[in-house]
Amino acid sequence: MSEPAPLSAEEADQLARMRYRRALARKKRKEREAASEVKELNITAMMDMMTIILVFLLKSFASSSAAITASEDVRPPVSSTRATPKDTVAITITPKNILVGDREVVRLKDGRIPENQLQGRLVLGLNEQLKKEVAKLKYIADRNPAAPFTHELSVIADKMVPYDLLLTVLYTAGENELQNYRFIVLQRDAE
């Protein structure tokens, strides 16, 4: 094997310049990467952020889970109970319709369930929606032991709703494993 030919002064100078440029480019790249790194955390900004999140969470947990939208159709009865509502499946019965959550499932005719929506005492539209709600609650309970399926139902009904209509709705709920009923009432002012 033969040795490589010695470089001329001009070639050696070009090689040195090329090495210098590469070294300079490497140094600049490292400086850019170092500049984008966070060297220290600004604790004041983090504390502000955590305080805002804490206030938001406290406010959202403090609100009632059984929110009744103001409506002329629903006037719940008045009671002196001190029990607080729980977060459950909510059925609202008005003189015009039956709702599960905020979704209308049955439109009433003259305060009665239409015959095409009844199968004995079972309300078909309500039954279908409650099946979906119960399946969702069971799915959550299977994946989160802190949120068990409690078979509870909140009923928000106008005080003028006929007992037979209320009984039919409760029968349909019972057929969907919702046996524990809670009736939402307005709290009487302390006298």
Side-chain angles (χ1 to χ4, degrees), residues 20-80:
Y20 177 76
R21 285 185 191 147
R22 285 184 186 164
L24 188 61
R26 205 172 315 126
K27 182 180 176 188
K28 285 183 179 180
R29 186 174 59 241
K30 285 184 180 182
E31 286 176 355
R32 272 194 314 265
E33 290 173 359
S36 66
E37 290 180 11
V38 176
K39 292 188 174 61
E40 62 183 64
L41 296 176
N42 187 348
I43 195 73
T44 306
M46 287 182 61
M47 288 302 292
D48 288 346
M49 179 183 65
M50 294 307 284
T51 304
I52 291 168
I53 291 172
L54 178 66
V55 169
F56 172 76
L57 290 174
L58 287 174
K59 186 162 177 63
S60 66
F61 282 123
S63 65
S64 173
S65 61
I68 300 175
T69 55
S71 171
E72 293 179 16
D73 291 345
V74 180
R75 290 190 179 95
V78 179
S79 175
S80 60

Side-chain angles (χ1 to χ4, degrees), residues 88-144:
T88 60
V89 176
I91 295 180
T92 306
I93 308 170
T94 72
K96 296 178 183 175
N97 51 25
I98 300 172
L99 300 110
V100 174
D102 291 336
R103 180 176 289 150
E104 180 182 304
V105 292
V106 176
R107 181 165 298 275
L108 302 178
K109 291 183 182 172
D110 300 322
R112 297 178 183 264
I113 300 170
E115 291 297 321
N116 66 346
Q117 283 288 317
L118 284 174
Q119 187 177 38
R121 274 223 183 256
L122 191 73
V123 183
L124 299 176
L126 179 60
N127 185 48
E128 181 182 320
Q129 187 63 34
L130 287 178
K131 281 187 188 313
K132 292 177 185 175
E133 292 291 325
V134 167
K136 181 172 68 172
L137 289 173
K138 285 182 176 179
Y139 179 82
I140 292 169
D142 287 345
R143 283 150 182 75
N144 184 1

